């Protein structure tokens, strides 16, 4: 069994996955635990950014193949549905989510990292979508997110070959934002989360929505969405505080996200 713990460091919430064997594995129960943790962090007005990371050898080693082998079609699709719902929750969450990928990120692990807004990898991290070698495809929407991140050619290559890539290759192709040494991973993720948390939570949420939803639609629709969100920003106390603080040469004191 893989467990989930949550801790707070100022405005940053850290969700850590761990197991006795050091290889975190997805299950329906784990998805339910992670959903409860994310809901709690999302509801906490003091939390302005969230980090997901793992302990041991893996960020997330994917799903238990022995377990999946025993599933019938309905059970398999229910397991898939629960995972899809959780990853979409991460993607649509108003608060930004950073994946701090500490080790193996296999199958659903890579898919979970792609559902996060930003990915920081340990130099020891390994990424792979092994599903086609198991007679399935990346069913937690990996086929959809990878093509949007990397383009169709590279997404097809990684998914169809089931090739493993290291952190530097993941950085080169744009799968991760940054690579750091293992001992600096969490500190770097927290530092980035704090830089985000220093900005307007309302504006950060608006930017996340504009980028995320805009990438899923055509340019004209994205422009209309951006204009709508810009109007909301102009009508907010965050704009007044942020611009006043800039003029007065002081640090802005933004209210919590409502």
């Amino acid at each position: 069994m893989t467990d989930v713990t949550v801790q707070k460091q100022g405005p940053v919430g850290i969700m850590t996955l761990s197991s006795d064997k050091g290889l975190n594995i997805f299950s329906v129960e784990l998805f339910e635990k992670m959903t409860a943790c994310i809901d709690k962090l999302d509801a906490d007005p003091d939390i302005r950014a969230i980090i997901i990371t793992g302990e041991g050898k893996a960020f997330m080693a994917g799903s238990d193949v022995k377990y999946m082998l025993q599933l019938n079609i309905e059970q398999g699709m229910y397991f898939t549905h629960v995972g899809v719902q959780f990853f979409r929750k991460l993607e649509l969450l108003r608060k930004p989510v950073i994946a701090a990928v500490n080790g193996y990120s296999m199958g659903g692990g890579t898919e979970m990292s792609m559902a996060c807004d930003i990915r920081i990898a340990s130099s020891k991290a390994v990424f792979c979508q092994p599903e086609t070698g198991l007679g399935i495809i990346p069913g937690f929407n990996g086929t959809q997110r990878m093509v949007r991140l990397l383009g169709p050619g590279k997404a097809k290559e990684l998914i169809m070959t089931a090739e493993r890539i290291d952190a530097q290759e993941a950085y080169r192709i744009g799968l991760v934002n940054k690579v750091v040494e293992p001992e600096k991973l969490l500190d770097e993720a927290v530092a980035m989360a704090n830089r985000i948390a220093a900005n307007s939570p309302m504006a950060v949420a608006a930017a996340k929505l504009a980028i995320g939803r805009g990438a899923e639609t055509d340019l004209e629709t994205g422009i209309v969405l951006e204009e709508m969100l810009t109007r909301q920003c102009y009508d907010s106390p965050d704009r007044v505080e942020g611009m006043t603080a800039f003029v007065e040469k002081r640090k802005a004191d933004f209210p919590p996200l409502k």
Side-chain angles (χ1 to χ4, degrees):
M1 293 293 293
T2 300
D3 201 7
V4 187
T5 57
V6 173
Q7 65 179 114
K8 294 168 60 174
Q9 287 192 24
V12 181
I14 304 172
M15 188 172 83
T16 304
L17 307 174
S18 62
S19 68
D20 292 340
K21 295 182 179 180
L23 290 173
N24 303 319
I25 298 292
F26 281 130
S27 63
V28 171
E29 292 77 16
L30 179 61
F31 281 128
E32 291 171 348
K33 289 180 183 178
M34 290 192 296
T35 298
C37 290
I38 288 295
D39 286 344
K40 183 177 180 180
L41 291 171
D42 187 35
D44 189 332
D46 295 329
I47 296 298
R48 298 192 174 190
I50 298 168
I51 295 170
I52 300 177
T53 192
E55 287 184 350
K57 300 177 182 178
F59 170 68
M60 170 53 67
S63 303
D64 186 343
V65 178
K66 291 182 179 179
Y67 165 74
M68 294 176 69
L69 180 60
Q70 300 172 29
L71 301 179
N72 60 33
I73 294 174
E74 288 73 21
Q75 291 168 333
M77 291 311 300
Y78 177 72
F79 176 56
T80 300
H81 174 75
V82 174
V84 165
Q85 291 296 106
F86 175 70
F87 291 166
R88 191 60 171 159
K89 175 182 283 286
L90 294 180
E91 207 163 39
L92 298 180
L93 203 70
R94 293 194 298 166
K95 297 178 181 181
V97 184
I98 298 173
V101 184
N102 56 294
Y104 288 108
S105 181
M106 313 301 284
T110 296
E111 291 178 282
M112 181 165 68
S113 75
M114 291 191 293
C116 297
D117 300 296
I118 297 168
R119 289 155 293 284
I120 303 175
S122 157
S123 58
K124 293 185 177 180
V126 177
F127 298 83
C128 181
Q129 297 289 171
E131 288 86 357
T132 55
L134 302 171
I136 56 175
I137 62 174
F140 295 141
N141 303 144
T143 62
Q144 302 306 301
R145 292 192 177 96
M146 186 171 283
V147 71
R148 286 165 170 78
L149 280 172
L150 308 181
K154 183 54 72 173
K156 289 176 182 177
E157 176 189 340
L158 292 179
I159 290 170
M160 292 177 180
T161 64
E163 177 185 5
R164 294 188 181 193
I165 60 172
D166 62 19
Q168 288 299 335
E169 176 65 6
Y171 174 73
R172 188 187 72 80
I173 64 177
L175 185 58
V176 301
N177 299 73
K178 184 178 290 191
V179 178
V180 299
E181 292 306 307
E183 64 275 12
K184 297 180 180 179
L185 176 64
L186 192 56
D187 287 343
E188 179 62 34
V190 170
M192 184 177 290
N194 276 314
R195 289 195 293 273
I196 293 171
N199 297 320
S200 159
M202 182 277 304
V204 168
K208 174 172 176 171
L209 179 60
I211 295 168
R213 285 299 178 90
E216 296 173 357
T217 188
D218 62 274
L219 179 59
E220 290 301 322
T221 303
I223 288 171
V224 171
L225 173 63
E226 181 184 83
E227 185 176 9
M228 179 190 72
L229 292 167
T230 299
R231 183 180 183 86
Q232 291 179 8
C233 290
Y234 266 94
D235 192 37
S236 73
D238 288 47
R239 178 185 70 89
V240 176
E241 170 59 17
M243 293 183 177
T244 301
F246 179 85
V247 171
E248 295 178 352
K249 296 183 169 71
R250 61 174 174 81
K251 183 178 178 181
D253 183 19
F254 294 112
L257 187 63
K258 292 182 180 178

